[in-house]
Amino acid sequence: MIETCMNQVMEAQERLFNMIKSHIPEQSRLVDVIGESLQVGADSAYRRIRGEKELSFSELRNLCHTFHLSMDELLNYDSEQGALFRYTSIKAEQPNYVRYIKQLLETFKAPVAVDDRELFFTAQDIPFYHFLNQEQLLLFKLYVCYDSSTPERISFREFYDRMDLDVCLPLHEQLLREYQQIPSKEIWTEQTVNTILHLLDFYMEIGAFDSKTILLLLRQLLELLDRISHSAEIGYKDAERHTPFSLYICSIDPGSSMVLARHGSEWMCTVKLYTANCVTTNNIALCNETRKWINNLIMKSSLISGGTSERERFRFFQTSKDKVEALIRKAEQIKFS
């Protein structure tokens, strides 16, 4: 019993150092970082990293605090009795949103080889990353988050003017570059595009836009669909065809939008809640179950990316664009105040 507990402790210690390694710059040496954090020499740091010396509670607490890690998550990462989640509240106020984007960048920049990373999406809504180079459309999604979480009622233009784009846009560009380097598989349904269409229609009906703005947003949505369609056609995210992109259409509603990410041997599962808020866990049992579930969904889905899926791909995107065009015609007929 004692030996089993000791093995579990040392396994947790090994996981801790692997997690820290993924949080430090590639050029930094783990032994130097640990030595500096614990105020010990290189030999003592090496003994802890190799598992020859058990970390004290105060050392464990120090390292978790320094590298923003959870002790509960570390010790219970493979529990089948329960999973520990981190909650991310993506409030649309500028400081909170900027902090969220920087956290995503930090996750993506983990020192793992480009070809040793993957992203899997189940998409009830078009995944966030596709909006990163559609400035107004992305800010509309943030506006929806803001409007649904505060009693204040403001127009989209008022919200747009509050955002410091000199801060946000460079971060969007960095995040888009990171996303473009990670191979992705996305599972959409026939309803995926409807989510943002319904939101645009609703906010148009209640007078949140002027006519110029709603037409701009709808045309950006058409451009976004054309861009995703092209990526699906060539089977890659980039024109140079370095990063694979697979798009599936599933007749089974997945029930929620989820992201399963793999960085080397580490897995992370993110579940979208209301608006854009989400919870994230590294619990290995839950990640494994989610991976099996996604693989089953893929087996029951139609692949519409690549050269063999032209007819199905054309039908899906043309149907989606027809819905956007119908909303454009509606917007053109409305008399805006």
PDB file of all heavy atoms in Angstrom, residues 28 39 45 54-55 79 85 112 135 164 180 182 206-207 215-216 221 237 296 299 313:
ATOM      1  N   SER A  28      14.824  27.945 -22.545  1.00  0.00           N
ATOM      2  CA  SER A  28      15.133  27.823 -21.118  1.00  0.00           C
ATOM      3  C   SER A  28      15.394  26.375 -20.738  1.00  0.00           C
ATOM      4  O   SER A  28      14.777  25.460 -21.275  1.00  0.00           O
ATOM      5  CB  SER A  28      13.975  28.373 -20.268  1.00  0.00           C
ATOM      6  OG  SER A  28      13.755  29.737 -20.536  1.00  0.00           O
ATOM      7  N   GLN A  39      15.168  27.824  -5.160  1.00  0.00           N
ATOM      8  CA  GLN A  39      16.382  28.337  -4.513  1.00  0.00           C
ATOM      9  C   GLN A  39      17.297  27.181  -4.077  1.00  0.00           C
ATOM     10  O   GLN A  39      17.761  27.111  -2.926  1.00  0.00           O
ATOM     11  CB  GLN A  39      16.017  29.213  -3.302  1.00  0.00           C
ATOM     12  CG  GLN A  39      15.281  30.495  -3.666  1.00  0.00           C
ATOM     13  CD  GLN A  39      16.144  31.453  -4.480  1.00  0.00           C
ATOM     14  OE1 GLN A  39      17.149  31.965  -4.000  1.00  0.00           O
ATOM     15  NE2 GLN A  39      15.759  31.655  -5.745  1.00  0.00           N
ATOM     16  N   ALA A  45      18.199  20.264  -7.950  1.00  0.00           N
ATOM     17  CA  ALA A  45      17.100  20.376  -8.911  1.00  0.00           C
ATOM     18  C   ALA A  45      17.017  19.117  -9.771  1.00  0.00           C
ATOM     19  O   ALA A  45      15.923  18.590 -10.017  1.00  0.00           O
ATOM     20  CB  ALA A  45      17.297  21.606  -9.789  1.00  0.00           C
ATOM     21  N   GLU A  54      11.814  13.359  -3.287  1.00  0.00           N
ATOM     22  CA  GLU A  54      10.421  13.785  -3.294  1.00  0.00           C
ATOM     23  C   GLU A  54      10.318  15.277  -2.955  1.00  0.00           C
ATOM     24  O   GLU A  54      11.027  15.772  -2.058  1.00  0.00           O
ATOM     25  CB  GLU A  54       9.625  12.971  -2.272  1.00  0.00           C
ATOM     26  CG  GLU A  54       8.144  13.298  -2.243  1.00  0.00           C
ATOM     27  CD  GLU A  54       7.425  12.467  -1.198  1.00  0.00           C
ATOM     28  OE1 GLU A  54       7.985  11.427  -0.770  1.00  0.00           O
ATOM     29  OE2 GLU A  54       6.307  12.863  -0.790  1.00  0.00           O
ATOM     30  N   LEU A  55       9.468  15.978  -3.671  1.00  0.00           N
ATOM     31  CA  LEU A  55       9.219  17.379  -3.362  1.00  0.00           C
ATOM     32  C   LEU A  55       8.506  17.504  -2.019  1.00  0.00           C
ATOM     33  O   LEU A  55       7.627  16.699  -1.691  1.00  0.00           O
ATOM     34  CB  LEU A  55       8.328  18.019  -4.430  1.00  0.00           C
ATOM     35  CG  LEU A  55       8.942  18.262  -5.810  1.00  0.00           C
ATOM     36  CD1 LEU A  55       7.841  18.616  -6.809  1.00  0.00           C
ATOM     37  CD2 LEU A  55       9.982  19.382  -5.760  1.00  0.00           C
ATOM     38  N   SER A  79      -8.296  10.598 -12.360  1.00  0.00           N
ATOM     39  CA  SER A  79      -9.405  10.091 -11.557  1.00  0.00           C
ATOM     40  C   SER A  79     -10.617   9.806 -12.435  1.00  0.00           C
ATOM     41  O   SER A  79     -10.980  10.606 -13.292  1.00  0.00           O
ATOM     42  CB  SER A  79      -9.778  11.112 -10.480  1.00  0.00           C
ATOM     43  OG  SER A  79     -10.977  10.742  -9.838  1.00  0.00           O
ATOM     44  N   PHE A  85     -12.108  21.000 -13.220  1.00  0.00           N
ATOM     45  CA  PHE A  85     -12.179  21.917 -14.358  1.00  0.00           C
ATOM     46  C   PHE A  85     -11.679  23.299 -13.965  1.00  0.00           C
ATOM     47  O   PHE A  85     -11.868  23.742 -12.829  1.00  0.00           O
ATOM     48  CB  PHE A  85     -13.628  22.048 -14.856  1.00  0.00           C
ATOM     49  CG  PHE A  85     -14.121  20.865 -15.637  1.00  0.00           C
ATOM     50  CD1 PHE A  85     -14.702  19.784 -14.992  1.00  0.00           C
ATOM     51  CD2 PHE A  85     -14.003  20.829 -17.017  1.00  0.00           C
ATOM     52  CE1 PHE A  85     -15.158  18.689 -15.702  1.00  0.00           C
ATOM     53  CE2 PHE A  85     -14.468  19.744 -17.736  1.00  0.00           C
ATOM     54  CZ  PHE A  85     -15.044  18.670 -17.082  1.00  0.00           C
ATOM     55  N   VAL A 112       6.207  22.300 -28.196  1.00  0.00           N
ATOM     56  CA  VAL A 112       5.952  20.979 -28.778  1.00  0.00           C
ATOM     57  C   VAL A 112       6.100  21.111 -30.287  1.00  0.00           C
ATOM     58  O   VAL A 112       5.702  22.125 -30.868  1.00  0.00           O
ATOM     59  CB  VAL A 112       4.533  20.485 -28.417  1.00  0.00           C
ATOM     60  CG1 VAL A 112       4.246  19.152 -29.087  1.00  0.00           C
ATOM     61  CG2 VAL A 112       4.388  20.363 -26.909  1.00  0.00           C
ATOM     62  N   GLU A 135     -12.667  41.195 -38.440  1.00  0.00           N
ATOM     63  CA  GLU A 135     -12.657  42.071 -37.264  1.00  0.00           C
ATOM     64  C   GLU A 135     -14.047  42.385 -36.722  1.00  0.00           C
ATOM     65  O   GLU A 135     -14.350  42.144 -35.550  1.00  0.00           O
ATOM     66  CB  GLU A 135     -11.943  43.377 -37.626  1.00  0.00           C
ATOM     67  CG  GLU A 135     -11.969  44.438 -36.548  1.00  0.00           C
ATOM     68  CD  GLU A 135     -11.409  45.757 -37.061  1.00  0.00           C
ATOM     69  OE1 GLU A 135     -10.418  45.735 -37.821  1.00  0.00           O
ATOM     70  OE2 GLU A 135     -11.976  46.797 -36.699  1.00  0.00           O
ATOM     71  N   ASP A 164     -10.375  48.694 -27.584  1.00  0.00           N
ATOM     72  CA  ASP A 164      -9.104  49.246 -28.051  1.00  0.00           C
ATOM     73  C   ASP A 164      -8.526  48.288 -29.091  1.00  0.00           C
ATOM     74  O   ASP A 164      -7.819  47.328 -28.763  1.00  0.00           O
ATOM     75  CB  ASP A 164      -8.141  49.412 -26.876  1.00  0.00           C
ATOM     76  CG  ASP A 164      -6.857  50.140 -27.277  1.00  0.00           C
ATOM     77  OD1 ASP A 164      -6.628  50.317 -28.496  1.00  0.00           O
ATOM     78  OD2 ASP A 164      -6.089  50.511 -26.381  1.00  0.00           O
ATOM     79  N   GLN A 180      -3.204  28.472 -37.229  1.00  0.00           N
ATOM     80  CA  GLN A 180      -2.954  28.022 -38.604  1.00  0.00           C
ATOM     81  C   GLN A 180      -1.882  26.946 -38.690  1.00  0.00           C
ATOM     82  O   GLN A 180      -1.760  26.268 -39.700  1.00  0.00           O
ATOM     83  CB  GLN A 180      -2.540  29.216 -39.474  1.00  0.00           C
ATOM     84  CG  GLN A 180      -3.653  30.213 -39.755  1.00  0.00           C
ATOM     85  CD  GLN A 180      -4.640  29.707 -40.787  1.00  0.00           C
ATOM     86  OE1 GLN A 180      -5.377  28.755 -40.567  1.00  0.00           O
ATOM     87  NE2 GLN A 180      -4.647  30.342 -41.938  1.00  0.00           N
ATOM     88  N   ILE A 182      -1.647  24.373 -36.500  1.00  0.00           N
ATOM     89  CA  ILE A 182      -2.056  23.141 -35.805  1.00  0.00           C
ATOM     90  C   ILE A 182      -3.080  22.376 -36.641  1.00  0.00           C
ATOM     91  O   ILE A 182      -4.151  22.912 -36.947  1.00  0.00           O
ATOM     92  CB  ILE A 182      -2.659  23.466 -34.426  1.00  0.00           C
ATOM     93  CG1 ILE A 182      -1.676  24.306 -33.604  1.00  0.00           C
ATOM     94  CG2 ILE A 182      -3.002  22.179 -33.680  1.00  0.00           C
ATOM     95  CD1 ILE A 182      -2.208  24.711 -32.251  1.00  0.00           C
ATOM     96  N   ILE A 206     -33.998  44.036 -33.257  1.00  0.00           N
ATOM     97  CA  ILE A 206     -34.162  44.921 -32.097  1.00  0.00           C
ATOM     98  C   ILE A 206     -33.439  46.254 -32.283  1.00  0.00           C
ATOM     99  O   ILE A 206     -33.375  47.065 -31.357  1.00  0.00           O
ATOM    100  CB  ILE A 206     -33.683  44.238 -30.791  1.00  0.00           C
ATOM    101  CG1 ILE A 206     -32.172  43.993 -30.813  1.00  0.00           C
ATOM    102  CG2 ILE A 206     -34.462  42.961 -30.534  1.00  0.00           C
ATOM    103  CD1 ILE A 206     -31.625  43.519 -29.474  1.00  0.00           C
ATOM    104  N   GLY A 207     -32.867  46.462 -33.454  1.00  0.00           N
ATOM    105  CA  GLY A 207     -32.287  47.762 -33.755  1.00  0.00           C
ATOM    106  C   GLY A 207     -30.896  47.992 -33.215  1.00  0.00           C
ATOM    107  O   GLY A 207     -30.510  49.148 -32.951  1.00  0.00           O
ATOM    108  N   LEU A 215     -25.172  44.934 -42.983  1.00  0.00           N
ATOM    109  CA  LEU A 215     -24.782  44.435 -44.302  1.00  0.00           C
ATOM    110  C   LEU A 215     -23.297  44.103 -44.336  1.00  0.00           C
ATOM    111  O   LEU A 215     -22.890  43.112 -44.962  1.00  0.00           O
ATOM    112  CB  LEU A 215     -25.135  45.465 -45.378  1.00  0.00           C
ATOM    113  CG  LEU A 215     -26.642  45.643 -45.629  1.00  0.00           C
ATOM    114  CD1 LEU A 215     -26.903  46.808 -46.574  1.00  0.00           C
ATOM    115  CD2 LEU A 215     -27.252  44.356 -46.200  1.00  0.00           C
ATOM    116  N   LEU A 216     -22.476  44.905 -43.648  1.00  0.00           N
ATOM    117  CA  LEU A 216     -21.045  44.601 -43.554  1.00  0.00           C
ATOM    118  C   LEU A 216     -20.824  43.265 -42.857  1.00  0.00           C
ATOM    119  O   LEU A 216     -20.035  42.423 -43.308  1.00  0.00           O
ATOM    120  CB  LEU A 216     -20.328  45.716 -42.804  1.00  0.00           C
ATOM    121  CG  LEU A 216     -18.851  45.454 -42.448  1.00  0.00           C
ATOM    122  CD1 LEU A 216     -18.007  45.324 -43.715  1.00  0.00           C
ATOM    123  CD2 LEU A 216     -18.302  46.560 -41.552  1.00  0.00           C
ATOM    124  N   LEU A 221     -19.542  37.450 -43.182  1.00  0.00           N
ATOM    125  CA  LEU A 221     -19.900  36.048 -42.960  1.00  0.00           C
ATOM    126  C   LEU A 221     -19.809  35.258 -44.255  1.00  0.00           C
ATOM    127  O   LEU A 221     -19.334  34.107 -44.268  1.00  0.00           O
ATOM    128  CB  LEU A 221     -21.304  35.952 -42.363  1.00  0.00           C
ATOM    129  CG  LEU A 221     -21.811  34.551 -42.030  1.00  0.00           C
ATOM    130  CD1 LEU A 221     -20.849  33.807 -41.110  1.00  0.00           C
ATOM    131  CD2 LEU A 221     -23.215  34.619 -41.395  1.00  0.00           C
ATOM    132  N   LYS A 237      -5.234  24.255 -44.049  1.00  0.00           N
ATOM    133  CA  LYS A 237      -5.570  25.581 -43.552  1.00  0.00           C
ATOM    134  C   LYS A 237      -4.884  26.686 -44.343  1.00  0.00           C
ATOM    135  O   LYS A 237      -5.394  27.803 -44.407  1.00  0.00           O
ATOM    136  CB  LYS A 237      -5.158  25.710 -42.074  1.00  0.00           C
ATOM    137  CG  LYS A 237      -5.966  24.877 -41.099  1.00  0.00           C
ATOM    138  CD  LYS A 237      -5.495  25.167 -39.677  1.00  0.00           C
ATOM    139  CE  LYS A 237      -6.317  24.392 -38.663  1.00  0.00           C
ATOM    140  NZ  LYS A 237      -5.903  24.688 -37.278  1.00  0.00           N
ATOM    141  N   ASN A 296     -15.973   8.241 -32.739  1.00  0.00           N
ATOM    142  CA  ASN A 296     -17.232   7.617 -33.147  1.00  0.00           C
ATOM    143  C   ASN A 296     -18.076   8.568 -33.988  1.00  0.00           C
ATOM    144  O   ASN A 296     -18.707   8.158 -34.975  1.00  0.00           O
ATOM    145  CB  ASN A 296     -18.026   7.160 -31.918  1.00  0.00           C
ATOM    146  CG  ASN A 296     -17.483   5.871 -31.328  1.00  0.00           C
ATOM    147  OD1 ASN A 296     -16.924   5.043 -32.042  1.00  0.00           O
ATOM    148  ND2 ASN A 296     -17.638   5.708 -30.025  1.00  0.00           N
ATOM    149  N   MET A 299     -16.716   8.647 -37.467  1.00  0.00           N
ATOM    150  CA  MET A 299     -17.098   7.461 -38.234  1.00  0.00           C
ATOM    151  C   MET A 299     -18.526   7.561 -38.769  1.00  0.00           C
ATOM    152  O   MET A 299     -18.854   6.969 -39.795  1.00  0.00           O
ATOM    153  CB  MET A 299     -16.950   6.217 -37.356  1.00  0.00           C
ATOM    154  CG  MET A 299     -15.502   5.863 -37.031  1.00  0.00           C
ATOM    155  SD  MET A 299     -15.392   4.482 -35.854  1.00  0.00           S
ATOM    156  CE  MET A 299     -16.202   3.187 -36.788  1.00  0.00           C
ATOM    157  N   ARG A 313     -19.620  18.931 -50.394  1.00  0.00           N
ATOM    158  CA  ARG A 313     -19.072  20.196 -49.900  1.00  0.00           C
ATOM    159  C   ARG A 313     -19.794  21.390 -50.535  1.00  0.00           C
ATOM    160  O   ARG A 313     -20.195  22.342 -49.848  1.00  0.00           O
ATOM    161  CB  ARG A 313     -17.577  20.275 -50.182  1.00  0.00           C
ATOM    162  CG  ARG A 313     -16.921  21.560 -49.711  1.00  0.00           C
ATOM    163  CD  ARG A 313     -15.418  21.513 -49.888  1.00  0.00           C
ATOM    164  NE  ARG A 313     -15.029  21.307 -51.284  1.00  0.00           N
ATOM    165  CZ  ARG A 313     -14.486  20.206 -51.760  1.00  0.00           C
ATOM    166  NH1 ARG A 313     -14.275  19.176 -50.972  1.00  0.00           N
ATOM    167  NH2 ARG A 313     -14.158  20.104 -53.038  1.00  0.00           N
TER     168      ARG A 313
END
